[in-house]
Amino acid sequence: MKKPAQKPHVSITEQQFTRCNARSKRHGGECGQPAIKGRTKCRFHGGLSTGPKTELGKALIGLANRTHGFYTKEEKLARRFGYESLKAMQEAVNNVLEEMKQ
């Protein structure tokens, strides 16, 4: 008589969990801790964070993550007007120089 096949013992750490995908600075690997349910990060890497809730908090996060603002709409517009005024000044200088030659 055959014995029924037994399932191999699997510890709770070997069970299938979504793993934290935070990268290590030292070795470049993933954290590997179990992620918070429904999230991609563990409790150590921000899985419990709910993010900013107030308008002030959202604005502060936006300022903290902005490194230079070179590509914002306002900066692009300011540069364009700056280039246009510089071009106009160069044309005026060139016109004055041509008049001086004549």
Side-chain angles (χ1 to χ4, degrees):
M1 176 178 209
K2 284 187 167 181
K3 291 183 179 179
Q6 292 182 350
K7 293 182 180 178
H9 175 72
V10 178
S11 69
I12 199 153
T13 58
E14 295 171 358
Q15 290 179 359
Q16 194 66 7
F17 287 110
T18 303
R19 296 290 171 181
C20 176
N21 60 5
R23 292 280 176 186
S24 169
K25 290 181 184 178
R26 282 188 251 155
H27 56 78
E30 291 185 348
C31 167
Q33 291 289 323
I36 302 295
K37 187 180 274 188
R39 311 235 176 170
T40 60
K41 302 287 187 275
C42 68
R43 60 194 171 121
F44 300 116
H45 294 109
L48 292 176
S49 174
T50 59
K53 298 291 184 190
T54 64
E55 291 301 319
L56 175 63
K58 291 176 184 178
L60 290 174
I61 290 294
L63 289 174
N65 289 333
R66 185 172 139 179
T67 54
H68 51 71
F70 189 74
Y71 296 103
T72 59
K73 289 179 185 177
E74 296 85 15
E75 288 295 320
K76 286 180 182 179
L77 190 62
R79 280 195 306 276
R80 186 172 70 202
F81 285 131
Y83 294 147
E84 289 172 358
S85 63
L86 180 63
K87 190 175 179 180
M89 284 190 279
Q90 287 174 340
E91 289 175 2
V93 168
N94 288 339
N95 290 338
V96 169
L97 289 176
E98 286 182 22
E99 289 177 8
M100 289 176 65
K101 287 181 183 179
Q102 294 175 356

